[in-house]
Amino acid sequence: QVQLVESGGGLVQPGGSLRLSCSASGFVRSIYSMGWYRQAPGKEREWVATVIGGRNTYYADAVKGRFTISRDSAKNTVYLQMNRLKPEDTAVYYCNFRGSVGVRDNVLTKWGQGTLVTVSS
């Protein structure tokens, strides 16, 4: 069984910064990708950023230049450094994991429990 534990959400003023983290624990054989999605009140969940293979990073236009995704392979952890935050960044942020797990090397897609980010003065 693989668990994802997220942390780092909170309340921040516009222009401020936060760093989210998501750690995958359990029998992880390899990680194909880890990423972040978010869901604002009354809106659909949307993709934010993904890191593939540990180095290749991709961003939604709305966060490009402000957010940075990175992965610590040794810790099976992905981070999202969020700078110059805006009120429209307010949402529940969800970690997404895709990799192979367990003794049978099964492919798994898993979501974190979500962490709330509120950008407000």
Side-chain angles (χ1 to χ4, degrees), residues 18-92:
L18 280 176
R19 190 175 84 150
L20 307 182
S21 64
C22 173
S23 295
S25 62
F27 196 158
V28 177
R29 287 186 171 271
S30 64
I31 298 177
Y32 305 150
S33 67
M34 292 187 77
W36 293 92
Y37 289 69
R38 67 186 181 186
Q39 187 166 18
K43 294 188 176 182
E44 298 285 321
R45 187 175 297 189
E46 64 176 3
W47 169 69
V48 175
T50 298
V51 54
I52 296 176
R55 292 189 176 183
N56 297 316
T57 58
Y58 304 89
Y59 299 93
D61 288 343
V63 306
K64 202 172 293 184
R66 299 187 298 122
F67 291 10
T68 302
I69 189 170
S70 61
R71 194 183 119 193
D72 185 332
S73 297
K75 298 180 180 179
N76 289 342
T77 298
V78 65
Y79 304 96
L80 186 69
Q81 177 65 43
M82 304 184 293
N83 299 328
R84 292 184 282 140
L85 282 160
K86 305 175 182 180
E88 50 263 44
D89 294 318
T90 295
V92 177

Side-chain angles (χ1 to χ4, degrees), residues 6 35-39 45 92-96 111-114:
E6 300 178 23
W36 293 92
Y37 289 69
R38 67 186 181 186
Q39 187 166 18
R45 187 175 297 189
V92 177
Y93 283 70
Y94 296 92
C95 173
N96 176 266
W111 294 91
Q113 80 282 5

